[in-house]
Amino acid sequence: MNTIERRQHIVKSVARSGKVAVSDLVTEYNVSAVTIRSDLNFLHQRGLLIRTRGGAIACNRISPELSIDDKYNEHAEIKKKIALAASQLIEEDDAIILDSGTTTAELALCLGEFKNLVVMTNGLNVAQNLTKSLGVQVLMTGGTLRKKSLSFYGSQAEESLSRYHFNKVILGVDGIDLDVGITTHFEAECVLNRKMCSAAREVIVVTDSSKFNAVGVHKILDLQDVSTLVTDDGIPDDIVQTLLSYGIRIIIAE
């Protein structure tokens, strides 16, 4: 089988099974791992599959990005429960980062009883929801406003994070996948999210279960880098077992 034929077969395999692993392809085609990685990179660059750590996934596994209004309407009651559960992880005198998003915006509404809390956010809606919390000092990252998500991004936002250290970052996500990790749709926001995680001692992910086995285009971090996950009881069992094996604390919102 020549290179063109092998690559055609790989595309068909990904389309059929949804994902492939480098190790399996090495065995199937009797070529080196270097050759298979080159094949996957070639196919990724042409939009025929999505390269992941250790393999690739089908393009149709990429979830669509919703507008902020659509996100508010999707799983609204579940997000409120997740936000309330996540608020129990925040302590008086904490300095935290709240990522932009609808679940984190709900979480912002749960912080009114705190007397001394510092919150930095890149979310315009998140900051708005904190305005009546008198005990919360609100810091904005600044940057360029992305109207679709009401979030700030860019070099100014990234630079602002370098001047602080936080106890916790609470991150909303577009996708959680065992093969790919934690993902989002917008590259500049992904870069900012990584810097948020680097600036905090603990990474807390808040998401409803519709985000599991969904994949955004841009990877934020590996699952192993998450400290705590707050979600609902729709989380798949295989993901529960994998996260527990990584030592991740899972909180199911009631």
Side-chain angles (χ1 to χ4, degrees):
M1 184 180 294
N2 62 34
T3 299
I4 294 175
E5 291 172 331
R6 185 178 62 250
R7 289 172 175 174
Q8 288 175 338
H9 275 260
I10 290 172
V11 171
K12 290 177 182 178
S13 295
V14 174
R16 182 174 60 252
S17 62
K19 61 183 179 181
V20 291
V22 169
S23 57
D24 293 337
L25 296 176
V26 166
T27 301
E28 181 176 354
Y29 298 109
N30 194 29
V31 294
S32 70
V34 172
T35 297
I36 292 298
R37 292 191 187 99
S38 176
D39 288 342
L40 296 181
N41 289 336
F42 175 89
L43 296 170
H44 172 86
Q45 290 166 5
R46 282 150 184 81
L48 297 173
L49 50 72
I50 303 297
R51 189 75 166 88
T52 66
R53 174 176 291 188
I57 62 172
C59 293
N60 59 14
R61 289 185 60 195
I62 302 297
S63 62
E65 182 181 16
L66 301 177
S67 69
I68 194 73
D69 290 334
D70 290 335
K71 287 182 178 181
Y72 268 122
N73 294 326
E74 188 177 53
H75 311 297
E77 292 306 313
I78 291 175
K79 289 178 180 180
K80 290 178 182 179
K81 292 178 181 179
I82 292 171
L84 183 59
S87 71
Q88 308 304 309
L89 302 174
I90 301 171
E91 302 175 17
E92 200 71 63
D93 301 321
D94 265 350
I96 68 173
I97 304 172
L98 281 186
D99 180 29
S100 61
T102 51
T103 305
T104 49
E106 288 292 343
L107 175 54
L109 295 173
C110 300
L111 304 181
E113 300 302 315
F114 283 90
K115 296 179 174 59
N116 185 35
L117 195 66
V118 176
V119 178
M120 174 172 270
T121 184
N122 67 318
L124 185 61
N125 53 340
V126 175
Q128 179 65 36
N129 286 355
L130 291 169
T131 55
K132 294 182 180 179
S133 298
L134 299 181
V136 178
Q137 179 183 353
V138 182
L139 306 175
M140 291 293 295
T141 62
T144 302
L145 178 63
R146 186 177 187 232
K147 295 178 182 178
K148 183 171 186 176
S149 59
L150 295 182
S151 60
F152 290 93
Y153 68 93
S155 58
Q156 181 180 341
E158 295 164 23
E159 173 63 25
S160 68
L161 287 167
S162 67
R163 298 191 292 270
Y164 299 94
H165 179 73
F166 298 89
N167 303 100
K168 304 173 178 85
V169 55
I170 301 178
L171 200 64
V173 300
D174 290 320
I176 298 181
D177 184 85
L178 292 181
D179 297 317
V180 185
I182 307 294
T183 57
T184 190
H185 288 290
F186 185 52
E187 183 176 13
E189 224 168 271
C190 178
V191 172
L192 182 62
N193 285 159
R194 289 194 201 116
K195 290 189 177 294
M196 288 177 173
C197 294
S198 297
R201 192 159 54 235
E202 181 179 356
V203 178
I204 300 170
V205 171
V206 292
T207 183
D208 65 84
S209 57
S210 70
K211 303 300 193 304
F212 295 111
N213 294 319
V215 181
V217 178
H218 301 285
K219 180 176 177 177
I220 301 172
L221 73 170
D222 292 320
L223 291 173
Q224 295 93 321
D225 297 322
V226 177
S227 306
T228 303
L229 172 73
V230 186
T231 187
D232 59 80
D233 59 8
I235 180 173
D237 291 338
D238 61 328
I239 292 183
V240 170
Q241 296 307 315
T242 300
L243 296 183
L244 290 176
S245 73
Y246 293 153
I248 298 170
R249 180 185 181 189
I250 301 174
I251 297 174
I252 304 298
E254 302 293 340

